[in-house]
């Protein structure tokens, strides 16, 4: 065997042994696997029961100092038995896979740039602007961080392209922080759409007390012939009664209108937001629910009733492994002429139990009772098994 051939074999062996080490140093992975079972009774003749699952995998490639690539995918995100191959996922591909993030991050001394498919959210109301889409985001560093973004929501190849864009300015000190933000949704739903958001949120942390508040205004054009509107206020005040007990209350206000189109958020609402069922179970943002309180009474197209609502909630840590939560909310439409519903009561009770390391079992029961003609109370229950890695 020639010296050259021996040298090549040795070199290839070194590369083969070094490659996994380099890959491990460069790539970090994480994610979650969940399986949920749910049932929902609408109070009439319909009761829906189903099981769904999602395997979420995310990772980051640290390419060089200040250079990285991030990705995330949801594999087999679907309800059991909903289409797919006759032989299941084991032999044939099935639908339900979703690549939701793939972006480049460049970190410079005074600012950072993100380009690609990404999630952007601003505002305390579950992301008053929130979208998962392709675009750019620039963020400055320092005592007053500033973020600006642009996302292409719909590429029609001409002047009817749909865009999201906006900016956020952060401010505050140790016990106080806040954000002021603006955003726009342009030609996403229709060619005549040009909606603007102006808002601010503040958070006060005072040892056992915490106060969170947000005020938002929406204006512009919903269509070529209909104005966009929206004035909404959210306040959340909570108190840690002990190391294991927390109690709080929330106020929701959203203006209604009998002529224009109400907006409670901008973007494609990728994360969703269902605070009326959020009691720490991990199941509040499921396939059914009460959705955003600001739109609770907007049950049909053209119905923009707004809301005036209050909610009480509590959380208890029974042990390091077991936690309980409960809440009850009362809601009324702000614009009575827009709906036949007089009021509603929404209640939830949930728990979360650490079964094993990085493994938890969640359970949630939900109740909705709307005071309206020919409307029955609704009841739902869910259980979910979650494994984080």
């Amino acid at each position: 065997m020639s010296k050259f051939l021996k040298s090549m074999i040795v070199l290839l062996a070194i590369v083969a042994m070094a490659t996994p080490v380099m890959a491990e140093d460069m790539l970090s992975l994480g994610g979650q696997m969940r399986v949920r079972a749910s049932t929902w009774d609408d109070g009439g003749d319909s009761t829906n029961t189903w099981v769904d699952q999602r395997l979420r995998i995310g990772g980051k490639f640290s390419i060089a100092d200040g250079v990285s690539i991030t990705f995330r995918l949801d594999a087999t995100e679907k309800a059991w038995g909903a289409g797919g191959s006759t032989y299941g996922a084991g032999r044939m591909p099935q639908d339900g896979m979703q690549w939701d993030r793939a972006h480049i991050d460049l970190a410079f001394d005074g600012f950072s740039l993100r380009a690609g498919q990404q999630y952007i959210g601003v505002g305390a109301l579950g992301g008053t602007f929130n979208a998962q889409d392709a675009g750019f985001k620039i963020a400055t560093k320092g005592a007053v961080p500033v973020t600006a973004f642009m996302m292409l929501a719909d590429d029609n190849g001409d002047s009817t392209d749909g865009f999201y864009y906006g900016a956020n300015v952060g401010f505050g000190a140790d016990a106080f922080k806040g954000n002021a933000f603006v955003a726009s949704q342009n030609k996403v739903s229709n060619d005549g759409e040009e909606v603007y958001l102006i808002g601010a949120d503040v958070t006060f942390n005072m040892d056992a007390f915490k106060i969170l508040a947000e005020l938002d205004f929406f204006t512009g054009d919903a269509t070529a012939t209909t104005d966009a509107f929206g004035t909404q206020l959210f306040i959340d005040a909570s108190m840690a009664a002990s190391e294991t007990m927390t109690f709080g209350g929330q106020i929701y206000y959203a203006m209604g209108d009998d002529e224009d189109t109400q907006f409670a958020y901008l973007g494609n609402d990728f994360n969703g937001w269902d605070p009326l069922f959020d009691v720490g179970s991990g199941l509040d943002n499921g396939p059914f629910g009460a959705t955003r309180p600001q739109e609770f009474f907007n049950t049909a197209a053209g119905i923009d009733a707004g809301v005036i609502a209050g909610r009480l909630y509590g959380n208890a840590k029974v042990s390091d492994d077991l936690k309980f939560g409960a809440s009850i909310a009362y809601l009324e439409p702000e614009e009575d002429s827009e709906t036949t519903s007089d009021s509603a009561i929404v209640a939830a009770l949930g728990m979360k139990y650490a079964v094993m390391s990085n493994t938890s079992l969640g359970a949630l029961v939900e109740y909705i009772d709307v005071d309206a003609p020919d409307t029955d109370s609704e009841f739902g229950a869910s259980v979910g098994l979650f494994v984080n890695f």
Side-chain angles (χ1 to χ4, degrees), residues 11-69:
L11 180 60
L12 289 172
I14 293 173
V15 171
M17 289 185 292
T19 299
V21 177
M22 290 187 293
E24 183 177 351
D25 291 341
M26 180 183 294
L27 174 62
S28 59
L29 289 172
Q32 181 192 77
M33 176 71 187
R34 75 181 186 195
V35 177
R36 306 180 302 185
S38 305
T39 183
W40 187 259
D41 185 348
D42 66 2
D45 298 328
S46 177
T47 300
N48 294 320
T49 301
W50 65 94
V51 180
D52 65 9
Q53 71 177 62
R54 183 188 71 190
L55 172 58
R56 169 166 287 177
I57 304 170
K60 179 179 179 180
F61 289 98
S62 299
I63 307 301
D65 187 20
V67 182
S68 64
I69 296 174

Side-chain angles (χ1 to χ4, degrees), residues 161-301:
D161 289 347
F163 288 94
Y164 304 124
Y165 55 87
N168 182 87
V169 178
F171 54 88
D174 292 340
F176 162 78
K177 65 178 181 179
N179 298 278
F181 47 86
V182 295
S184 178
Q185 179 171 303
N186 195 315
K187 298 181 181 179
V188 175
S189 299
N190 58 79
D191 291 347
E193 182 186 59
E194 192 170 355
V195 186
Y196 299 94
L197 160 67
I198 302 173
D201 64 65
V202 292
T203 302
F204 297 91
N205 273 306
M206 299 165 286
D207 294 329
F209 295 92
K210 181 179 179 181
I211 299 176
L212 171 64
E214 179 174 343
L215 179 63
D216 304 304
F217 300 95
F218 297 84
T219 187
D221 299 319
T223 67
T225 58
T226 307
D227 291 336
F229 82 97
T231 298
Q232 60 188 25
L233 173 68
F234 168 69
I235 299 174
D236 183 325
S238 62
M239 178 186 70
S242 68
E243 293 183 356
T244 60
M245 300 284 290
T246 300
F247 299 97
Q250 296 174 334
I251 294 174
Y252 299 89
Y253 171 81
M255 181 184 295
D257 193 286
D258 58 357
E259 295 179 355
D260 303 322
T261 300
Q262 177 190 353
F263 281 80
Y265 65 91
L266 297 183
N268 53 35
D269 205 22
F270 178 83
N271 270 357
W273 194 50
D274 195 353
L276 301 183
F277 287 155
D278 185 3
V279 290
S281 67
L283 295 161
D284 50 285
N285 211 1
F288 53 80
T291 68
R292 292 175 178 256
Q294 295 84 356
E295 300 177 307
F296 184 88
F297 294 104
N298 299 355
T299 54

Side-chain angles (χ1 to χ4, degrees), residues 67-99:
V67 182
S68 64
I69 296 174
T70 299
F71 68 90
R72 196 178 82 177
L73 67 94
D74 294 339
T76 65
E77 183 178 15
K78 61 179 300 180
W80 287 6
S85 167
T86 303
Y87 301 104
R91 287 183 56 184
M92 299 288 184
Q94 59 181 343
D95 57 359
M97 181 171 288
Q98 171 181 275
W99 285 88

Side-chain angles (χ1 to χ4, degrees), residues 21 124 154 158 180 283 290 326 357-358 367 370:
V21 177
D154 190 1
D158 52 28
L283 295 161
S357 178
N358 298 327
Y367 174 78
V370 180

